[in-house]
Amino acid sequence: MSLFRDDGIVLRTQKLGEADRIITLLTRQHGKVRAVARGIRKTKSKFGARLEPFSHVDVQFFSRGADLIGRGLPLCTQVETIAPYGGTIVTDYGRYTAGTAMLETAERFAENEGEPAVQQYLLLVGGLRTLAAGTHQSHLVLDAFLLRSLAVNGYGASFTDCAKCGLPGPNRFFSLQAGGVLCADCRVPGCAVPSPETLVLLGALLSGDWRTADGCESRYWREGSGLVAAYLQWHLERGIRSMRYVEK
């Protein structure tokens, strides 16, 4: 029997029995973890409100084996709140839908339980912090998170130089299969031809240039969001269900 302590983001919860819940978290040291929180649905539960989606928490786990991820689910025995991002996010529809898509995406990129995904974890923490602060439009925060999640998982897109031959940009033809923009010589059938301003916006979101991103016109971020969603679906091989509810 072992005790483990880690901090993580609550991704989702599901009912178990009459009073318990299974909590899915993305943790700093252990990646995706599913654990049982006993009695959490009782009105007298000490930490029921702390284990809600979007919450950044410090959790102590009790495992019956030498490893946190074993044959049975570990138990959540102690929970301390680090940052209650959900309190702000759930009050606004745009933030809530964008945040839900972020949680689902993070879980998809950290599918294997117990495998550390530190960069994905840090991206999620930063994304939720920015979303909760409301300093940027929620759809821009979501697209920035999606592009950076793809990048840290090996699917970074190029929005300036040709993704095939490296010809310096700007280049106009965007290919999901090729991993970004292509020059005229490398162009393949089925390429999209987005506006130059859209490609500038996507490059800004990927690099963190918020001054450029915030000043972009709505027609360009709408086009950019479509490209990001298609690029994400291509590499995940199926869509993110929450994306259909995101405000555009």
Side-chain angles (χ1 to χ4, degrees):
M1 296 182 290
S2 305
L3 291 176
F4 298 85
R5 198 168 195 98
D6 206 343
D7 56 273
I9 296 288
V10 178
L11 301 177
R12 59 187 173 93
T13 67
Q14 59 191 102
K15 295 179 180 179
L16 179 66
E18 295 184 357
D20 306 336
R21 276 188 181 146
I22 297 176
I23 312 297
T24 302
L25 306 100
L26 180 60
T27 66
R28 180 188 294 271
Q29 300 176 39
H30 300 90
K32 178 181 170 181
V33 174
R34 292 190 308 138
V36 175
R38 288 182 173 170
I40 192 174
R41 290 157 55 200
K42 294 180 179 178
T43 55
K44 295 182 179 180
S45 173
K46 295 181 179 179
F47 52 80
R50 302 174 192 172
L51 288 174
E52 292 293 331
F54 306 112
S55 296
H56 188 194
V57 292
D58 182 328
V59 186
Q60 180 175 279
F61 301 99
F62 172 80
S63 175
R64 297 187 182 280
D67 299 314
L68 178 58
I69 307 300
R71 293 183 179 179
L73 297 179
L75 301 178
C76 296
T77 55
Q78 291 183 13
V79 181
E80 297 295 335
T81 299
I82 297 175
Y85 297 126
T88 303
I89 291 174
V90 300
T91 60
D92 178 84
Y93 181 80
R95 292 180 193 174
Y96 175 74
T97 53
T100 301
M102 291 165 65
L103 297 184
E104 185 180 349
T105 300
E107 184 173 2
R108 289 285 298 279
F109 276 122
E111 281 191 325
N112 298 322
E113 293 186 42
E115 291 187 6
V118 178
Q119 288 183 303
Q120 187 65 67
Y121 165 80
L122 293 175
L123 273 177
L124 184 58
V125 172
L128 293 180
R129 182 189 302 121
T130 303
L131 193 64
T135 52
H136 308 287
Q137 296 185 65
S138 58
H139 57 83
L140 293 178
V141 176
L142 172 60
D143 286 342
F145 172 80
L146 297 179
L147 288 171
R148 296 176 194 179
S149 293
L150 284 159
V152 301
N153 285 282
Y155 307 117
S158 173
F159 298 111
T160 52
D161 300 343
C162 177
K164 190 172 183 181
C165 71
L167 180 72
N171 292 291
R172 289 290 309 279
F173 307 105
F174 187 87
S175 170
L176 302 177
Q177 302 93 319
V181 292
L182 298 174
C183 64
D185 292 336
C186 296
R187 180 183 180 183
V188 296
C191 282
V193 188
S195 302
E197 293 85 353
T198 298
L199 296 175
V200 170
L201 167 63
L202 295 179
L205 291 174
L206 181 59
S207 65
D209 180 2
W210 285 107
R211 177 176 295 181
T212 298
D214 289 336
C216 187
E217 295 181 26
S218 60
R219 55 177 170 167
Y220 300 128
W221 62 251
R222 285 193 179 94
E223 184 179 39
S225 291
L227 290 177
V228 173
Y231 192 66
L232 179 68
Q233 182 172 348
W234 172 266
H235 287 290
L236 289 180
E237 299 182 352
R238 64 182 190 272
I240 297 297
R241 290 175 297 176
S242 305
M243 292 290 287
R244 71 186 70 174
Y245 304 111
V246 174
E247 285 188 320
K248 297 295 184 183

